[in-house]
Amino acid sequence: TRYKFQEGKVQCLDYGSKGLWKHSGGSTEISYQTNNSSIVSKRSVERLYYQQPHFYRYFVKKPIRRSPLINRGYWLRMYVVDDAIGRFLAQCSRKKKVILNLGCGYDPLVFQWLSKSPELSRDVTFIDIDYPELMAKKCEVIAQTRQLRDLIEPIEAPTLDPSVFLRSRHFLAIGCDLSDSRKLGQILTDNTCSKDCLILCIAEVSITYMNDQAADAVLEWAAQYEDVRFCLLEQFLPDGADHPFAQKMLQHFENLNTPLRSVRKYPRLIDQEKRFLRAGWKYAKAKSLWNIFCDLTVISNEQKLWLNTVEPFDEYEEFVLFASHYFYLEAAKSSQPIGSKPAGLQHPPFYQRDQTSDPMDGISHLKLHFEALPKLSGCRRFGAIFPLYDKLIGYHGGLGSQSRLNSLDVYKSNSEIGQRIPTTHPLIKARMCHTITTFADDKVLLVGGRTSPSQALSDCWLLSSNTWTRVEDLPAPLYRHCATSIRIREHAAVLIYGGKNSYGHTEGKWHLWWENVGWVKLIASEPGISPRFGASLTSDQPSAGFLLGGMTNDCNICDDVYHWTIRDLDMDPRIQLTKINKYLITPTSMAPSLYRFGAHLTSSFDGLLLIGGVSNQFLPRNREIIKLSRGNREAEDEFHRSLRLTLVDPSYDEQRPLLVGHASCFCDNSTALVGGGALCFSFGTYLNERIWTLRTRPKDDGSPGLWDVENIRENKGKGYVERDKRDDNGREAPHQVTGIPRTNIETTSEFERLLRDSRPAVIEGLDLGPCVRDWSLDALKAKIGSDRMVVVHEAANQHMNFKEKNFVYVKKAFGSFINDIHQGSRQYLRSLAADKPSERPANLKSDFKELASDFVFPHQLEFVQKNAHSSPLRISGPVNIWLHYDVMANVLCQIRGSKRVIMFPPEDVSFLEIDPGASSSSINVFETDFSQDPALKHTNPYETILQPGEVLFIPPVWMHSVSPLENLSVSVNVFFRNLKSGYATGRDIYGNRDIQAYEKGRKDVEKILKTFEGIPTDMRDFYLLRLGDELKAGARA
């Protein structure tokens, strides 16, 4: 199909000749798969990062918000291509300019540039080239979209060439298989693209899917033009195909039946450059996208700071891995690339040398042996590791395969360890990017961390004698800080530095924590040190040590090393900092490998080991681990500040680990490396499923690895877990409380999967609108009005009991209610319908029109919105909501304050004292010792702390009770119908009537009981118990 535009109307011209649409072995379908995924991601970037007008929107019917990692990765891809086009258009030339977009897909380059830079694009022809079937679909969208047609009109009449689908002064749409470069050249020659033109060819992840011979033929064909530039952006293998990220990337495209072909033949940057030179190009320079991102001549610090304001972001290691496996190459027939100042390509690429040769000749290599043990526990990354006792290591929290964790993996090298081992407290919420530091023989301090990138934590917990106790909070919430233990005058303490807060700002403060003293701020002697997060901190003397690397707020990895010493704690607490870059004993080319973000610094018999992380230069296998040892001790005054760097060449007995998000710890005369992994862009998650032990020599006895693993869940009421304790029915130990899983979702289908699983979950990262920021009590009073009358619960004590009715309903002015809440009054508002409250369910948008625009339904909860029953506003002071269940599924959107939530699965209902036909219990679960209660000891409670901006999914008939942790809580509760049928008929304004089958069943039970009247008691009980057993059996089935 081609298109004719006449008198404002669009006519489709169907030539009906299948022979004209040539394709090779299913390549068209492959093109659709890769194009559709890419265009949806670019649309996600456009919506967040680009100003109007938007043009991807016309090619993506239903936008999907991608994860921050994918958004930033595609933003970088788009930015690099955009920068090249901009420099090409700005280049002075009397020749006609032509931009060939090879394998264009649905990219709207012509519309973007004609819209934003009409002067630069005035004498330019944009030519899109892709498979005929795809180009037909693209032109169909253009034909039906006035906003696109207006930019390229007037449209010329169709030519006799069936490969030309659409033609105008600025735009040419060509349907042609790129593997037929001879035919493509003839089409272009026949359509104004002559050798007298100044030509820019763009191939963004397109020719890599072609076989090598065909792809190389495209390069040779393009080189036949006299004045031509080529921009190639695609994948490469900076450290070979066995790198974990490379494995995931290659396997992903293999699974899609779209294998990356060029990357196998041309894996390195130097290979790609030689490829172009052999094809007839005189100039070819390649650089990884990560090196381009680090180049301030391409992306300024101001632009990087702006990126941080678009959306919360903390996937820096994963972003580096992605950008390090994609490259951008510029080639030219002349000796100069695009533009007079080839931004980002002034210097030779880092990988121009052959990486198979050792670049560090003359440096000794320390051989370490890695022993890979069987996977014994769940995988996690970005957790916190700490030595417990002589032969025990704890690895806490972090990000599991689906959500953040608050459980603990205990690694033990002695199977005779007793049954009492540490666990976590249920109020230590699931977190990642926190620190846990052992600072005395049996004392450990947990500090901060985060849930989502915009929810840093300030709580700190002391583990002593196997019991967790909450201690002084951080002065401000932090995550990605660094910590180490110190000792001053026989007193042990914990030193922390840097980190990020909830607003994405980087901190540069030093704090010291002492038991029985709390936090003490230290004044730095070097005020010029850049605030940073993700740095490495260690102490090599009781009150002195080193600070390495980290990242600044503008996403630059710090290229400095400091020696620090704590002084004058009694008078003027301060920390003395000395920059020691000039004292590093290492070749100049090796020093950049020391400057890292997210690395782990740990001890070994041979000195400090700097393990993993990311750097301004991609870290190949032989640079992932560096040994740091003292330098020239004969120096008179600087020996204590000098460091000698030695490369470590690891030999892996098993599959190579991904040294990102991992943790390491020295224990029992060896260094254990546990956890780690990364989300490999859109290619899947790679998790280290093994435990590695680092030693200077292999074990002589041939025994297996040192470590055994125990996974310990969070615990309520005690500081330890009696493992494997079960009751007579095989149920779990009574005092074990499971943390409610936390997750991020991007689509409504992901939420529907949660609904099908019927398990509670805390959903993070959703956009609830300005209400989270704006709904203070005073703001609510101003918006709603002080005189608005509302009905509130006034409670006699903190725990409201629906069965005993220890509260009264009071009608009062909203302003008075807010004033009472300010004063700590035990009151609770569950809003009712403004009109006919006894007949209609509550609806936030109609009942409080003043608030309607503040609360935004996230697109991920589209199913909830479409099936909504009611949406009451809840405002409470310091009162607990009684234990109850809801018949309808619902989401609890926390707006202000935080709540502690305890939930019980439906199978626990018989232990919770809920009367037949009722939905509420009198049990105060917040003050009950589950281990002592004869009924509750059989339950399986779940618990979480719900923070502002988070959404708790509450499945139907899950019992739950809620307690605010502050004097104020504001939330919006949305109930929705998850069943197509079966709800009770008649009025149900609270959405809490039991389902119709249960109501009917209760009546049937009454009839059954009546049928047994007159039967002797023993026989009646015998048969009724049998019927009860049959019902139980049916429930289990």
Side-chain angles (χ1 to χ4, degrees):
T1 305
R2 295 189 300 161
Y3 298 91
K4 178 180 180 182
F5 298 79
Q6 188 172 12
E7 297 180 354
K9 297 182 180 180
V10 183
Q11 298 180 13
C12 299
L13 306 179
D14 189 355
Y15 285 84
S17 177
K18 295 183 180 179
L20 295 176
W21 288 358
K22 179 182 178 184
H23 59 89
S24 304
S27 299
T28 305
E29 182 178 351
I30 292 172
S31 176
Y32 286 156
Q33 290 178 359
T34 56
N35 172 67
N36 289 341
S37 174
S38 175
I39 206 70
V40 170
S41 298
K42 290 183 177 182
R43 170 60 178 147
S44 178
V45 173
E46 180 182 58
R47 295 177 69 203
L48 290 172
Y49 290 77
Y50 281 69
Q51 295 180 346
Q52 296 280 4
H54 290 169
F55 295 103
Y56 286 100
R57 62 186 300 178
Y58 303 114
F59 300 95
V60 179
K61 293 182 179 179
K62 190 173 183 179
I64 297 174
R65 180 165 179 170
R66 298 296 201 194
S67 69
L69 171 62
I70 294 178
N71 282 338
R72 186 164 292 200
Y74 268 93
W75 176 87
L76 181 56
R77 277 178 52 169
M78 295 160 68
Y79 182 91
V80 169
V81 173
D82 210 45
D83 175 70
I85 295 174
R87 288 185 283 116
F88 174 76
L89 295 179
Q91 188 172 347
C92 295
S93 176
R94 295 183 178 180
K95 296 182 179 180
K96 176 184 176 181
K97 293 181 180 178
V98 176
I99 297 179
L100 301 179
N101 196 352
L102 306 175
C104 62
Y106 291 141
D107 273 355
L109 283 182
V110 59
F111 309 105
Q112 292 172 323
W113 282 95
L114 288 174
S115 173
K116 68 182 179 182
S117 299
E119 287 299 317
L120 285 178
S121 308
R122 182 175 52 188
D123 298 319
V124 181
T125 300
F126 293 82
I127 302 179
D128 282 359
I129 306 167
D130 215 315
Y131 288 105
E133 293 91 330
L134 194 150
M135 292 307 300
K137 290 181 178 292
K138 183 172 187 177
C139 290
E140 183 179 357
V141 173
I142 297 171
Q144 297 172 355
T145 308
R146 178 183 54 79
Q147 293 89 337
L148 301 178
R149 294 200 315 270
D150 288 349
L151 287 168
I152 59 173
E153 287 184 339
I155 306 297
E156 298 180 11
T159 67
L160 295 177
D161 188 346
S163 300
V164 177
F165 285 80
L166 195 152
R167 179 172 182 163
S168 73
R169 176 188 173 191
H170 292 291
F171 182 56
L172 194 63
I174 294 177
C176 181
D177 190 336
L178 290 179
S179 63
D180 193 347
S181 55
R182 182 176 180 180
K183 176 182 177 182
L184 176 59
Q186 187 60 51
I187 296 172
L188 292 173
T189 300
D190 295 340
N191 290 274
T192 73
C193 186
S194 66
K195 293 187 177 181
D196 295 330
C197 297
L198 179 60
I199 300 172
L200 173 64
C201 298
I202 299 172
E204 182 188 356
V205 194
S206 57
I207 65 172
T208 188
Y209 302 117
M210 301 167 60
N211 65 66
D212 297 332
Q213 185 177 0
D216 290 345
V218 170
L219 305 186
E220 294 169 1
W221 159 77
Q224 296 176 5
Y225 291 95
E226 295 180 0
D227 203 350
V228 61
R229 314 286 189 270
F230 204 109
C231 299
L232 179 66
L233 191 155
E234 58 186 43
Q235 302 88 343
F236 78 116
L237 305 177
D239 199 29
D242 70 332
H243 188 280
F245 185 96
Q247 293 179 40
K248 274 290 181 182
M249 178 177 71
L250 294 172
Q251 188 61 51
H252 169 80
F253 288 102
E254 290 282 353
N255 293 341
L256 292 177
N257 197 28
T258 58
L260 302 179
R261 303 182 186 277
S262 298
V263 76
R264 299 287 189 178
K265 186 175 182 180
Y266 307 106
R268 303 167 304 168
L269 299 186
I270 187 65
D271 298 326
Q272 289 285 353
E273 293 173 354
K274 291 179 178 179
R275 175 192 192 186
F276 272 80
L277 296 177
R278 284 196 299 267
W281 301 81
K282 295 182 179 179
Y283 173 93
K285 293 296 180 183
K287 204 170 188 181
S288 75
L289 294 192
W290 173 237
N291 292 145
I292 291 176
F293 187 83
C294 294
D295 192 331
L296 297 181
T297 66
V298 183
I299 304 175
S300 67
N301 286 335
E302 290 74 18
Q303 287 173 297
K304 294 178 182 178
L305 289 171
W306 169 78
L307 284 176
N308 292 335
T309 67
V310 177
E311 58 182 333
F313 186 82
D314 190 35
E315 291 79 20
Y316 295 98
E317 292 94 341
E318 286 109 332
F319 176 66
V320 174
L321 287 172
F322 155 78
S324 297
H325 282 80
Y326 278 71
F327 73 90
Y328 170 75
L329 179 146
E330 285 188 7
K333 285 294 293 293
S334 62
S335 59
Q336 290 295 323
I338 301 170
S340 57
K341 296 177 67 176
L345 293 168
Q346 299 95 323
H347 308 292
F350 286 114
Y351 293 94
Q352 198 160 2
R353 66 170 61 91
D354 188 343
Q355 291 297 301
T356 58
S357 63
D358 186 359
M360 305 306 303
D361 294 335
I363 301 298
S364 61
H365 287 216
L366 176 66
K367 284 280 186 180
L368 295 182
H369 296 268
F370 285 64
E371 293 187 3
L373 305 186
K375 177 185 175 184
L376 297 173
S377 64
C379 303
R380 63 181 75 205
R381 59 193 193 276
F382 298 105
I385 197 169
F386 56 103
L388 287 165
Y389 312 113
D390 182 38
K391 297 181 179 181
L392 207 64
I393 289 175
Y395 187 34
H396 173 267
L399 185 63
S401 59
Q402 297 293 331
S403 60
R404 282 177 290 279
L405 309 170
N406 82 333
S407 60
L408 175 72
D409 281 344
V410 175
Y411 297 81
K412 50 181 183 165
S413 62
N414 184 347
S415 59
E416 300 302 319
I417 293 223
Q419 292 298 300
R420 290 178 55 134
I421 61 175
T423 180
T424 64
H425 193 283
L427 292 184
I428 302 178
K429 67 185 303 181
R431 66 189 67 207
M432 59 189 291
C433 301
H434 55 302
T435 59
I436 301 183
T437 308
T438 301
F439 64 99
D441 292 338
D442 64 342
K443 293 183 178 181
V444 170
L445 184 69
L446 182 154
V447 178
R450 71 167 177 86
T451 55
S452 66
S454 59
Q455 292 291 331
L457 301 172
S458 61
D459 57 328
C460 302
W461 297 79
L462 176 67
L463 174 64
S464 180
S465 301
N466 278 354
T467 300
W468 289 98
T469 304
R470 186 163 180 172
V471 294
E472 297 83 1
D473 284 2
L474 282 165
L478 282 178
Y479 66 93
R480 292 272 197 178
H481 52 282
C482 50
T484 190
S485 61
I486 67 165
R487 182 172 289 274
I488 300 177
R489 296 191 298 273
E490 304 305 319
H491 294 288
V494 175
L495 175 70
I496 72 165
Y497 170 70
K500 269 201 158 190
N501 61 28
S502 298
Y503 303 100
H505 299 149
T506 304
E507 300 288 348
K509 299 174 182 177
W510 294 84
H511 286 93
L512 193 66
W513 186 87
W514 266 338
E515 192 173 6
N516 301 321
V517 175
W519 291 103
V520 176
K521 182 179 179 181
L522 302 179
I523 305 300
S525 64
E526 179 64 44
I529 180 173
S530 301
R532 63 196 66 196
F533 61 101
S536 300
L537 182 70
T538 188
S539 53
D540 70 330
Q541 298 177 35
S543 58
F546 297 97
L547 172 72
L548 295 80
M551 183 177 285
T552 58
N553 208 41
D554 49 14
C555 306
N556 293 314
I557 295 178
C558 303
D559 56 353
D560 49 23
V561 182
Y562 287 90
H563 183 268
W564 56 266
T565 306
I566 295 177
R567 303 183 185 278
D568 301 332
L569 276 178
D570 294 332
M571 302 295 294
D572 183 22
R574 61 190 180 93
I575 185 165
Q576 180 75 37
L577 296 168
T578 304
K579 190 172 181 178
I580 63 168
N581 290 53
K582 63 182 180 181
Y583 302 116
L584 297 177
I585 304 174
T586 180
T588 303
S589 60
M590 184 177 173
S593 298
L594 181 65
Y595 313 134
R596 305 186 182 191
F597 169 78
H600 222 266
L601 194 57
T602 191
S603 301
S604 76
F605 271 132
D606 299 286
L608 293 172
L609 293 177
L610 184 65
I611 305 175
V614 295
S615 173
N616 284 328
Q617 296 184 13
F618 181 79
L619 297 172
R621 175 175 177 151
N622 63 353
R623 294 197 183 193
E624 285 185 312
I625 303 177
I626 293 180
K627 186 183 78 169
L628 284 69
S629 54
R630 287 290 185 86
N632 181 10
R633 292 184 176 272
E634 298 179 359
E636 294 181 0
D637 56 358
E638 300 294 353
F639 77 92
H640 63 287
R641 297 175 184 165
S642 60
L643 285 177
R644 179 183 297 276
L645 276 61
T646 307
L647 283 177
V648 172
D649 185 13
S651 57
Y652 301 105
D653 299 330
E654 292 287 340
Q655 187 175 10
R656 173 181 177 179
L658 180 55
L659 296 182
V660 163
H662 62 288
S664 56
C665 185
F666 185 70
C667 181
D668 194 27
N669 300 325
S670 62
T671 301
L673 193 156
V674 301
L679 176 62
C680 300
F681 201 57
S682 58
F683 313 135
T685 301
Y686 186 100
L687 294 173
N688 294 330
E689 298 180 347
R690 306 279 179 162
I691 309 157
W692 284 266
T693 303
L694 291 71
R695 301 187 197 88
T696 55
R697 61 187 65 85
K699 296 185 69 177
D700 297 328
D701 57 7
S703 63
L706 288 174
W707 303 100
D708 190 12
V709 185
E710 185 91 21
N711 181 257
I712 308 300
R713 296 195 308 171
E714 59 272 21
N715 162 51
K716 180 178 176 63
K718 295 185 179 181
Y720 61 92
V721 167
E722 301 172 43
R723 296 182 310 240
D724 297 328
K725 182 176 179 181
R726 308 278 173 171
D727 65 14
D728 294 338
N729 296 319
R731 299 172 66 90
E732 292 187 357
H735 50 267
Q736 294 211 10
V737 180
T738 301
I740 296 176
R742 292 175 168 267
T743 187
N744 292 87
I745 61 175
E746 296 183 13
T747 65
T748 185
S749 61
E750 292 180 72
F751 176 78
E752 291 174 18
R753 185 173 66 247
L754 289 177
L755 186 60
R756 289 191 299 271
D757 292 342
S758 196
R759 311 292 290 182
V762 177
I763 307 172
E764 300 172 332
L766 298 181
D767 181 9
L768 299 177
C771 58
V772 179
R773 180 189 67 237
D774 297 342
W775 281 8
S776 64
L777 287 181
D778 291 337
L780 288 173
K781 184 165 64 172
K783 287 174 176 285
I784 295 173
S786 295
D787 298 332
R788 170 80 175 266
M789 301 304 293
V790 293
V791 177
V792 303
H793 304 62
E794 284 192 352
N797 54 52
Q798 183 176 358
H799 178 67
M800 290 196 297
N801 189 319
F802 187 80
K803 293 175 68 174
E804 297 178 2
K805 291 294 192 298
N806 64 342
F807 57 86
V808 294
Y809 296 105
V810 178
K811 190 173 184 178
K812 60 171 56 179
F814 185 74
S816 299
F817 166 67
I818 293 298
N819 293 337
D820 294 342
I821 293 293
H822 266 306
Q823 297 172 12
S825 177
R826 296 189 179 100
Q827 297 186 36
Y828 163 61
L829 166 66
R830 193 269 190 202
S831 69
L832 303 174
D835 182 33
K836 299 181 180 181
S838 61
E839 300 179 12
R840 298 179 178 176
N843 185 309
L844 179 72
K845 292 193 178 296
S846 59
D847 299 335
F848 297 95
K849 296 180 181 178
E850 310 87 349
L851 306 178
S853 61
D854 292 346
F855 178 75
V856 176
F857 240 105
H859 68 86
Q860 296 94 328
L861 302 184
E862 181 182 1
F863 183 91
V864 177
Q865 187 174 22
K866 287 183 177 180
N867 297 279
H869 167 271
S870 57
S871 52
L873 173 68
R874 299 183 186 269
I875 304 176
S876 71
V879 289
N880 301 344
I881 307 302
W882 55 87
L883 182 66
H884 67 285
Y885 68 81
D886 299 314
V887 176
M888 289 189 181
N890 62 95
V891 289
L892 181 61
C893 307
Q894 189 65 15
I895 309 301
R896 280 274 171 162
S898 56
K899 290 179 177 178
R900 182 183 176 194
V901 184
I902 295 180
M903 303 182 69
F904 298 87
E907 59 266 26
D908 287 349
V909 63
S910 58
F911 303 108
L912 298 175
E913 301 180 8
I914 298 179
D915 297 333
S919 60
S920 300
S921 170
S922 295
I923 299 175
N924 183 352
V925 295
F926 298 106
E927 297 180 1
T928 302
D929 187 344
F930 292 177
S931 64
Q932 301 299 319
D933 189 280
L936 291 183
K937 71 179 183 179
H938 298 293
T939 62
N940 294 292
Y942 288 67
E943 185 169 351
T944 194
I945 304 296
L946 195 64
Q947 301 284 4
E950 296 178 344
V951 176
L952 174 63
F953 166 58
I954 303 177
V957 299
W958 273 71
M959 280 67 70
H960 54 281
S961 187
V962 178
S963 176
L965 297 182
E966 305 162 24
N967 288 336
L968 164 68
S969 174
V970 180
S971 58
V972 175
N973 202 179
V974 185
F975 295 81
F976 61 97
R977 299 175 181 85
N978 61 293
L979 301 178
K980 294 182 178 180
S981 62
Y983 291 111
T985 58
R987 186 180 303 170
D988 187 13
I989 63 172
Y990 294 103
N992 210 30
R993 280 185 57 183
D994 285 308
I995 61 173
Q996 189 174 7
Y998 177 70
E999 292 187 347
K1000 181 179 182 300
R1002 291 194 63 225
K1003 294 179 181 179
D1004 292 339
V1005 168
E1006 292 179 5
K1007 294 178 182 179
I1008 292 172
L1009 291 173
K1010 287 182 179 181
T1011 62
F1012 280 87
E1013 291 179 358
I1015 304 296
T1017 302
D1018 55 346
M1019 292 181 67
R1020 181 198 64 190
D1021 292 350
F1022 172 80
Y1023 284 110
L1024 287 176
L1025 289 173
R1026 289 197 66 190
L1027 286 174
D1029 289 340
E1030 290 179 36
L1031 285 173
K1032 288 182 179 179
R1036 286 194 293 269

